[in-house]
Amino acid sequence: MIRFKKHIYLLLASVMTCFFTASCQYNEPAITHITNPDFFTTWVFTEEEAVCSQGSTYPSSSQEEHIELKTLINSSYEYTVNGELEQKGTFIALSEKITFSPPIFPNSIDINSTYVLTGPNLVITSIELLNSGSTETCTVKRKYSRKR
């Protein structure tokens, strides 16, 4: 009888150990390409916000221009300014990061930008140099709305 109880206790202890070991593991979710169909459309630039590290004002000429970013389901993009194709290439959108190749933003210091898709808006945030000869960096948020 004592031997039977001892085996039951060992069995219960083993089961409990396995349960706690399995339940305490954290597996980070796999990074996957974006599959949200709302992402693949033509986006029209609407506004830009920039905060620079030393308080400078970010030079924005894009307010006077009509800019469109077309993201296609085959992971390619087209970037037009005032109806003229400025650039086209491919992109990789993983989790919250997006990488355009070639880069859309010429002063960007990181190949990855972050993006947020909120309803009818796409916000892309990049870290960029104030200008090509500067060491000052700016965090630039560009907001795009879905083309109607």
Side-chain angles (χ1 to χ4, degrees):
M1 186 76 158
I2 293 174
R3 182 175 259 192
F4 178 73
K5 285 184 179 180
K6 191 176 189 180
H7 285 355
I8 294 291
Y9 286 127
L10 284 173
L11 179 62
L12 284 174
S14 297
V15 169
M16 295 296 283
T17 301
C18 290
F19 174 75
F20 285 119
T21 302
S23 66
C24 291
Q25 287 183 351
Y26 172 75
N27 294 326
E28 191 164 323
I31 296 174
T32 57
H33 289 277
I34 189 165
T35 57
N36 185 340
D38 291 338
F39 182 79
F40 304 104
T41 188
T42 300
W43 300 97
V44 178
F45 174 81
T46 56
E47 66 183 86
E48 178 178 85
E49 293 177 24
V51 176
C52 297
S53 60
Q54 297 173 11
S56 298
T57 303
Y58 186 79
S60 177
S61 62
S62 54
Q63 300 295 347
E64 301 89 36
E65 300 173 324
H66 179 77
I67 299 172
E68 290 186 355
L69 170 63
K70 186 183 288 186
T71 51
L72 304 170
I73 198 144
N74 66 354
S75 296
S76 65
Y77 75 89
E78 295 177 0
Y79 190 74
T80 60
V81 177
N82 296 329
E84 298 286 326
L85 181 64
E86 285 286 313
Q87 194 162 297
K88 66 184 200 174
T90 60
F91 68 89
I92 298 172
L94 303 172
S95 299
E96 302 166 346
K97 302 282 184 194
I98 190 164
T99 304
F100 293 99
S101 179
I104 292 177
F105 313 118
N107 289 336
S108 183
I109 61 173
D110 188 2
I111 61 168
N112 293 316
S113 297
T114 59
Y115 75 93
V116 178
L117 184 61
T118 57
N121 298 317
L122 171 68
V123 179
I124 300 176
T125 304
S126 60
I127 307 296
E128 302 177 26
L129 294 174
L130 179 62
N131 55 49
S132 60
S134 176
T135 58
E136 184 175 2
T137 60
C138 303
T139 301
V140 184
K141 286 185 179 183
R142 292 178 178 90
K143 183 177 173 183
Y144 299 84
S145 294
R146 190 171 283 111
K147 186 174 183 178
R148 299 179 199 270

